[in-house]
Amino acid sequence: MKVKRLLSCLLSLVMVFSLTALPASAATTFPDIQTHWAKSYIEAMTAAGMFKGYEDGNFKPENQLTTAEALALCARAIGLDSSTTMDIATDYYDTVKTALNNEQTWFYQEFSVCLATGILTASDLKSLYRSGDLTDPIEKEDLAVYLVRAMQLGPMSERLTSYPLTFDDASSISGAAKPSVYLLHVYGIVEGDEFNDFSPKLNVTRAVMATMLTRSIAYMQAHGTSPDLPEYTDYAFRQGVIASSTTTNGVIQLSLNSDLTGAPIGVVTLPANVKIYENNMESTAAALKNGRHARVCLDSTGSPFAVRVSADLEVFTATVNGIDGRNVAVTADGSGRLFTMDRFTQVQIGSKTTGDYSIVNSGDNYTTAVCKVDDQGRLVAIQFTGGTSTVEGILADYTRVSTSSAKASIQLIGFDGVTRTYTIPADATVTVDGLVDDLSSSHRNSYVVLRLLDEDASVQSAAVDTKSNYVQGIIKSVDRSDNTITITRLANDRNATYDVTSSAIITYKGETTRLRDLDKNDFVTILLDEKDDATMIQAYSSSTTAEGTISERTFGSGSDTTLTFVITQKDGTKASFKVDLSDPPAVERDEEDSTVDKLRVGDEVVFTIRYGEVTRIEATTQNVNLTGTVERIIQEKSGYTLELLLSDGEEVSYTVDSTVSVTQNNKEVALSSLKPGYKLGLAVNGDQVVAIEVQQAVNTGNKVSGTILYVDYAEDLIYLRATTDTGAEEMVTVEVPSSAVLLSAASGAELSLRDLDSGNVIEVNGAYNGTLFRATVILRQ
């Protein structure tokens, strides 16, 4: 978008605009204004093409303007280039046509600009038309409001809380117009008459309009006013909260943090000639103050050409009333407000997912939004919470849970072939074939749709469809001539061939495709009709990945040899994956071969899933850079003081804030649960502890006891669910050397490692060797 700010540039605005006057001669002056007080202003505006004379050669300065004519002049005063004006007119054509009931078509272009630049809302325009005010003479105080908006001062006028007026008739100015009249008076656009009256109800004449226009345009020229129209620009940008700003030889180093998360974005170098705008007016580097929002505009080479600064963001929490496209209706402090998410608006869903308006799903039923609005009334950032989304899949497993907070744990095989575990809360609504019911093991292999809360991915409802017939499996072959597909079914590992109907819906990774384009080994979910013909096929690659951060790791019960990993994915949702210790996947941690028992909460991981099973895990640790043993822990007002003996023998002391993340047994625990003797891993940044991992919280002597999860006979290792001295459980890897003695506590008989199995309860004497507990004597209870 280009903006013409100089008065001379207005000469290039070749628009048909008679303002009820007929075309006049090419004269630049008029005989009826030679002694008129507004002569210079009238000549300036006619030279700029804003006004024309009448057929008789006169200007008729005392003729009154209608509201429509005044609005058209305000729109032109902004000075948009013809290309942008035409784009706006095209975009707003239907809106203007509807508001004006297909009348006054000669003003459609100007009214479109009024809507795009904030001079009017669509509701304002419709109201003016229906009341007849558009064709009535405009009053001076109404013109003041529209002109202030055209000058891009509308948001400033709305924020004013004090606007003292010195006009003798100030009390007759309406409350809604006073802020605008105040600004126009302060900036020299209007002044009192010989009686020091503003005359707010006076009908505006052509002479008054020419005067106010000339002064307004001169003000915009002097202040470099440049309207900010997001949808009519295409420049790249970087934006955020100013963290710091330093200037050296005119070059500015601007450090930005995220408006949503506060995380550092980076440093932008601003050249000495960069233009800085505040309130849509040119400013100086003094506007780049810490805590302000800044948007750095970049040219095609990536170099900054302008910075738009917002002095103070209005931050408030609101109830979401509805979302229509990019428009968000909210209620805050009892008042309804409507915002538009434009291309500059930063969006966050829940506490994790960030992006632009494209990530917003109106069907997710968000309940709350934290809004950040700039000094122009534009929505800079918005965080939605309370929304829900859906996941679908085939029920693979069901386990009844007898707790007050949950009633079942289920596994769903998604259409992408990934098996995920979900807990069904006790208060979740469950329907089976449309009727309220309970889940049961009889629903295995049924189609299930879960509605999840965006904030924590908890299940709000589950809908089970037992009537529809779905099958899942791996493509073995596709016969194009017979229009059939053969798969190896997951349910029974048997091959099955299905006819594909001519109207079948076929997709690959969500995109429409053809049967012939599906490949062998693709994972498919097929919906069959009553004839067992395929009416829908959804296909995905046979191998897929899931990325995120491990947020929990839990053991199987009894003789169950599985570990369940819960990962929080980048979109904020959580997924669960079961790993069988008897057939573990390949694990790489920090680019070195590792094992599943070494994975920790906080590790960044990539799970590779093939044919529904985890086959590989790549992990990056949470950067523990110090290890030590707690010697003393002291509670302070601001948190805790930890006195530690580091692994290198050095004694250190750290003050730890109570909000620091502490994990034990791969679960979050309270900082207060730490005790002397605990071995800790600390992530330390400078002198600040940012995370704590309890690496050894079992009895710190020479004995551990617990239940065997799995025995790795090839590597002489026992994975033990050990009981800590706090009563919690954690996994300990026990190394069984050939010198270890294994005995039965009941008979005293000597045992071999192969006499031990999952579910056995054992007591192990020995000592820690790094992260392994090296056994000397093992007693099987």
Side-chain angles (χ1 to χ4, degrees):
M1 180 190 72
K2 301 176 182 177
V3 181
K4 298 178 172 62
R5 292 184 292 271
L6 299 176
L7 286 176
S8 59
C9 292
L10 290 169
L11 292 170
S12 64
L13 299 175
V14 185
M15 303 178 182
V16 179
F17 183 32
S18 65
L19 292 177
T20 72
L22 297 174
S25 64
T28 57
T29 189
F30 306 95
D32 59 342
I33 67 167
Q34 297 307 305
T35 59
H36 197 280
W37 61 269
K39 179 177 182 291
S40 62
Y41 300 119
I42 293 170
E43 290 177 342
M45 288 296 94
T46 54
M50 299 291 279
F51 281 98
K52 295 180 183 295
Y54 286 84
E55 189 177 46
D56 63 3
N58 289 313
F59 182 78
K60 301 183 181 181
E62 300 309 315
N63 278 12
Q64 297 175 351
L65 268 73
T66 66
T67 299
E69 293 167 344
L71 285 169
L73 284 167
C74 287
R76 292 185 173 188
I78 295 174
L80 301 181
D81 67 274
S82 58
S83 175
T84 301
T85 300
M86 291 304 298
D87 288 342
I88 291 173
T90 299
D91 291 344
Y92 283 87
Y93 177 82
D94 289 339
T95 302
V96 174
K97 180 180 178 180
T98 299
L100 299 183
N101 197 26
N102 207 26
E103 297 178 11
Q104 301 193 47
T105 56
W106 53 87
F107 283 140
Y108 273 23
Q109 184 167 277
E110 285 81 4
F111 288 154
S112 295
V113 172
C114 286
L115 295 178
T117 58
I119 297 175
L120 288 176
T121 66
S123 177
D124 292 336
L125 183 58
K126 185 179 294 185
S127 178
L128 288 171
Y129 168 76
R130 290 179 175 175
S131 66
D133 288 346
L134 269 181
T135 54
D136 287 342
I138 188 171
E139 294 181 350
K140 195 175 179 183
E141 68 174 11
D142 291 333
L143 174 60
V145 173
Y146 298 139
L147 197 55
V148 162
R149 293 174 182 173
M151 295 167 67
Q152 305 302 296
L153 298 175
M156 182 186 295
S157 71
E158 293 172 2
R159 295 197 311 274
L160 289 177
T161 57
S162 175
Y163 28 84
L165 294 169
T166 59
F167 298 116
D168 288 347
D169 61 348
S171 61
S172 63
I173 303 173
S174 67
K178 281 183 178 179
S180 297
V181 175
Y182 170 77
L183 287 178
L184 292 183
H185 183 53
V186 168
Y187 292 132
I189 311 301
V190 297
E191 54 192 22
D193 59 16
E194 65 271 26
F195 305 107
N196 194 35
D197 287 338
F198 175 72
S199 303
K201 309 302 180 185
L202 183 71
N203 292 335
V204 176
T205 64
R206 284 160 61 85
V208 170
M209 187 71 193
T211 302
M212 293 175 69
L213 270 182
T214 303
R215 292 173 177 173
S216 298
I217 294 172
Y219 171 88
M220 290 189 283
Q221 172 192 348
H223 291 81
T225 300
S226 172
D228 191 16
L229 303 177
E231 304 313 313
Y232 300 96
T233 62
D234 58 7
Y235 59 79
F237 61 92
R238 297 182 71 183
Q239 64 180 339
V241 178
I242 299 175
S244 65
S245 175
T246 58
T247 304
T248 305
N249 297 326
V251 177
I252 301 170
Q253 298 292 325
L254 193 66
S255 179
L256 299 175
N257 292 343
S258 169
D259 287 288
L260 290 169
T261 66
I265 293 175
V267 177
V268 182
T269 300
L270 306 178
N273 63 344
V274 71
K275 290 187 176 181
I276 299 172
Y277 293 93
E278 184 178 1
N279 288 322
N280 284 337
M281 294 181 290
E282 283 193 31
S283 184
T284 66
L288 303 176
K289 296 179 180 178
N290 291 357
R292 291 185 170 185
H293 171 80
R295 181 186 344 125
V296 181
C297 313
L298 308 175
D299 62 22
S300 58
T301 67
S303 300
F305 67 86
V307 182
R308 290 188 175 270
V309 182
S310 299
D312 296 296
L313 293 185
E314 178 189 8
V315 182
F316 59 91
T317 301
T319 300
V320 179
N321 300 324
I323 300 174
D324 182 13
R326 298 188 189 181
N327 297 319
V328 183
V330 301
T331 298
D333 296 328
S335 300
R337 302 177 69 173
L338 181 66
F339 296 103
T340 298
M341 296 178 287
D342 57 42
R343 78 183 189 96
F344 300 135
T345 303
Q346 304 161 76
V347 179
Q348 183 172 8
I349 306 299
S351 59
K352 296 293 183 181
T353 311
T354 59
D356 60 15
Y357 59 81
S358 64
I359 69 173
V360 177
N361 186 346
S362 59
D364 281 1
N365 302 316
Y366 311 111
T367 58
T368 306
V370 177
C371 306
K372 297 186 178 183
V373 181
D374 68 12
D375 47 21
Q376 298 298 304
R378 179 167 292 114
L379 189 61
V380 171
I382 185 167
Q383 179 188 16
F384 292 102
T385 56
T388 60
S389 57
T390 58
V391 295
E392 58 183 342
I394 306 303
L395 185 62
D397 196 13
Y398 162 88
T399 304
R400 179 172 295 278
V401 179
S402 299
T403 69
S404 59
S405 61
K407 55 186 172 184
S409 174
I410 66 172
Q411 283 189 306
L412 283 188
I413 304 177
F415 287 3
D416 59 357
V418 177
T419 301
R420 296 176 174 90
T421 303
Y422 299 92
T423 297
I424 308 299
D427 58 354
T429 301
V430 177
T431 59
V432 179
D433 298 329
L435 300 176
V436 176
D437 204 342
D438 285 327
L439 279 165
S440 72
S441 57
S442 65
H443 299 139
R444 287 189 178 95
N445 299 319
S446 295
Y447 172 69
V448 177
V449 177
L450 301 179
R451 182 164 288 278
L452 310 179
L453 187 65
D454 285 342
E455 185 65 21
D456 58 7
S458 61
V459 176
Q460 303 297 293
S461 65
V464 183
D465 177 4
T466 67
K467 305 297 184 183
S468 301
N469 187 10
Y470 284 86
V471 295
Q472 292 182 309
I474 310 300
I475 295 179
K476 187 174 182 181
S477 65
V478 171
D479 192 321
R480 302 174 185 174
S481 59
D482 291 340
N483 215 40
T484 61
I485 184 171
T486 300
I487 68 171
T488 302
R489 293 185 56 173
L490 286 187
N492 54 22
D493 204 30
R494 296 178 180 176
N495 294 337
T497 300
Y498 302 100
D499 291 325
V500 180
T501 63
S502 58
S503 59
I505 299 172
I506 303 173
T507 62
Y508 181 77
K509 293 184 178 180
E511 300 293 331
T512 302
T513 188
R514 299 173 298 178
L515 181 65
R516 69 178 65 182
D517 294 325
L518 300 182
D519 294 327
K520 182 179 180 180
N521 292 327
D522 282 346
F523 183 88
V524 291
T525 302
I526 302 175
L527 174 60
L528 304 176
D529 61 15
E530 63 279 0
K531 298 179 180 179
D532 276 354
D533 292 339
T535 60
M536 181 205 75
I537 302 174
Q538 292 200 33
Y540 285 82
S541 171
S542 60
S543 180
T544 187
T545 60
E547 299 183 38
T549 303
I550 297 178
S551 52
E552 188 175 345
R553 187 189 69 178
T554 57
F555 307 111
S557 59
S559 60
D560 188 351
T561 63
T562 61
L563 282 177
T564 298
F565 289 94
V566 178
I567 68 170
T568 301
Q569 300 178 103
K570 291 182 178 180
D571 63 359
T573 61
K574 294 183 178 180
S576 299
F577 301 95
K578 286 191 173 182
V579 173
D580 192 340
L581 290 172
S582 65
D583 185 21
V587 177
E588 184 180 275
R589 194 165 188 253
D590 293 334
E591 300 183 351
E592 293 184 0
D593 290 341
S594 186
T595 53
V596 291
D597 60 298
K598 302 300 190 299
L599 299 176
R600 295 287 184 266
V601 167
D603 284 358
E604 298 288 336
V605 291
V606 178
F607 278 63
T608 299
I609 303 96
R610 186 171 178 82
Y611 307 145
E613 294 184 356
V614 178
T615 58
R616 181 176 177 81
I617 303 174
E618 298 173 59
T620 304
T621 63
Q622 57 183 341
N623 297 322
V624 167
N625 47 20
L626 285 178
T627 59
T629 302
V630 178
E631 293 191 320
R632 188 164 65 154
I633 179 167
I634 307 168
Q635 185 172 5
E636 311 279 4
K637 287 185 178 180
S638 59
Y640 290 82
T641 296
L642 281 179
E643 295 181 0
L644 300 161
L645 176 64
L646 299 184
S647 55
D648 62 1
E650 180 184 359
E651 292 185 348
V652 296
S653 176
Y654 289 103
T655 298
V656 183
D657 187 273
S658 59
T659 61
V660 166
S661 172
V662 182
T663 57
Q664 178 182 352
N665 190 25
N666 291 286
K667 293 182 180 178
E668 292 286 339
V669 297
L671 181 61
S672 58
S673 68
L674 301 183
K675 294 183 177 181
Y678 278 22
K679 183 177 180 181
L680 306 180
L682 282 72
V684 178
N685 184 6
D687 61 355
Q688 183 179 9
V689 177
V690 295
I692 298 174
E693 177 192 41
V694 179
Q695 294 183 338
Q696 183 181 322
V698 294
N699 293 320
T700 54
N702 58 1
K703 182 170 63 178
V704 296
S705 60
T707 303
I708 295 177
L709 289 169
Y710 175 69
V711 181
D712 187 336
Y713 302 111
E715 299 294 332
D716 296 330
L717 296 175
I718 299 173
Y719 295 105
L720 184 68
R721 184 168 60 228
T723 303
T724 71
D725 55 7
T726 63
E729 293 181 330
E730 66 181 19
M731 187 164 71
V732 175
T733 305
V734 178
E735 180 184 15
V736 185
S738 58
S739 59
V741 177
L742 286 70
L743 300 172
S744 169
S747 65
E750 190 169 346
L751 307 174
S752 70
L753 185 60
R754 290 193 173 273
D755 291 321
L756 302 182
D757 204 352
S758 300
N760 288 166
V761 176
I762 61 174
E763 180 181 291
V764 185
N765 289 272
Y768 273 96
N769 180 21
T771 60
L772 296 178
F773 188 88
R774 186 177 177 86
T776 56
V777 177
I778 299 176
L779 292 177
R780 186 184 69 183
Q781 303 300 317

